[in-house]
Amino acid sequence: MDLSKRATAEFFGTFWLVFGGCGSAVLAAAFPNLGIGFVGVALAFGLTVLTMAFAIGHVSGCHLNPAVSIGLVTARRFPISELPAYIVAQVVGAIAGSGVLYLIASGKPGFTLAAGFASNGYADHSPGGYSLVACFVAEVVLTAFFLLVILGSTDERAPKGFAPIAIGLCLTLIHLISIPVTNTSVNPARSTGPAIFVGGWALSQLWLFWLAPILGAILGGLISTAFFAAPQPTIREEMSRDKP
């Protein structure tokens, strides 16, 4: 399929990830008496990936995340020539999703960006007050394992049709672990969208939520390739091969 169509799919998929995941945190997490809390937010992020994997996985591979795309390049499962188009689409989709969420959230009296707007942060802006080093390590390790699950569940030897479930549940678990630490990134695009609107501290700390997930994704890709991978076509080629 044409690269522009696949990039468009990544735009809409990442829009849904940020709007659904961050939206659950901004609009529903602490709703009076019936707030969904950390568990609900974690599940919302997992569901956005699970639903989009079924919706656009056959189109673009449903990366929704610059770190995932880079990890797939590292594991030789995605062509590096298409990486810039995917990353641009993912970041723009995340900003658009945050923009629509802002329009909705700001419609409530008393809304303020001072609450963080689901931005990621470390030290004073970590939900639990975790240090820069702790947040960096958490993002690297969690993103590395996210890539291991993605690469393993989409391996040609894995059971067919279950990858979206494994990946969605993995992202849910990641959020259950790390919302108190960094508000959970493991995705530079997801971090960029809210940070654009919050500005200030969120933009100044954004570097960590690009660097750590990308390093983690590369690490995950290298580990998978070295220890677990079998020779196989790229994810995009697999999707083309499976078309009727």
Side-chain angles (χ1 to χ4, degrees):
M1 186 174 290
D2 183 76
L3 177 58
S4 64
K5 292 182 178 178
R6 287 182 278 116
T8 300
E10 287 293 305
F11 167 87
F12 284 110
T14 312
F15 178 105
W16 184 238
L17 174 88
V18 172
F19 180 73
C22 294
S24 70
V26 172
L27 303 176
F31 192 80
N33 303 321
L34 297 174
I36 61 174
F38 284 176
V39 174
V41 173
L43 185 59
F45 271 100
L47 288 173
T48 61
V49 170
L50 180 108
T51 52
M52 274 295 118
F54 282 112
I56 66 169
H58 58 288
V59 178
S60 68
C62 193
H63 300 183
L64 317 185
N65 182 338
V68 168
S69 296
I70 291 169
L72 293 173
V73 169
T74 303
R76 301 176 184 174
R77 298 280 298 278
F78 184 69
I80 194 171
S81 62
E82 298 181 356
L83 185 60
Y86 267 54
I87 291 177
V88 169
Q90 291 157 358
V91 172
V92 174
I95 295 171
S98 296
V100 173
L101 176 58
Y102 177 80
L103 288 175
I104 296 170
S106 61
K108 178 181 178 180
F111 168 77
T112 174
L113 289 171
F117 198 53
S119 293
N120 301 114
Y122 57 82
D124 290 342
H125 299 287
S126 158
Y130 287 82
S131 69
L132 185 156
V133 172
C135 293
F136 185 85
V137 171
E139 289 289 328
V140 170
V141 171
L142 291 170
T143 311
F145 275 88
F146 192 32
L147 262 293
L148 287 176
V149 171
I150 291 170
L151 291 165
S153 62
T154 56
D155 190 288
E156 63 179 7
R157 300 163 296 176
K160 304 302 179 185
F162 293 98
I165 298 172
I167 295 167
L169 288 176
C170 180
L171 189 60
T172 299
L173 174 59
I174 286 169
H175 279 77
L176 289 173
I177 295 167
S178 62
I179 288 177
V181 183
T182 63
N183 222 14
T184 309
S185 173
V186 301
N187 183 338
R190 170 263 183 271
S191 298
T192 300
I196 291 291
F197 290 85
V198 174
W201 69 265
L203 285 176
S204 70
Q205 294 193 353
L206 185 59
W207 66 270
L208 185 143
F209 302 104
W210 274 85
L211 179 60
I214 288 173
L215 288 177
I218 292 172
L219 181 62
L222 291 174
I223 291 172
S224 179
T225 301
F227 297 105
F228 309 124
Q232 54 196 319
T234 66
I235 289 175
R236 179 166 60 82
E237 289 170 346
E238 287 175 350
M239 292 186 299
S240 299
R241 182 189 62 192
D242 292 341
K243 282 187 176 181

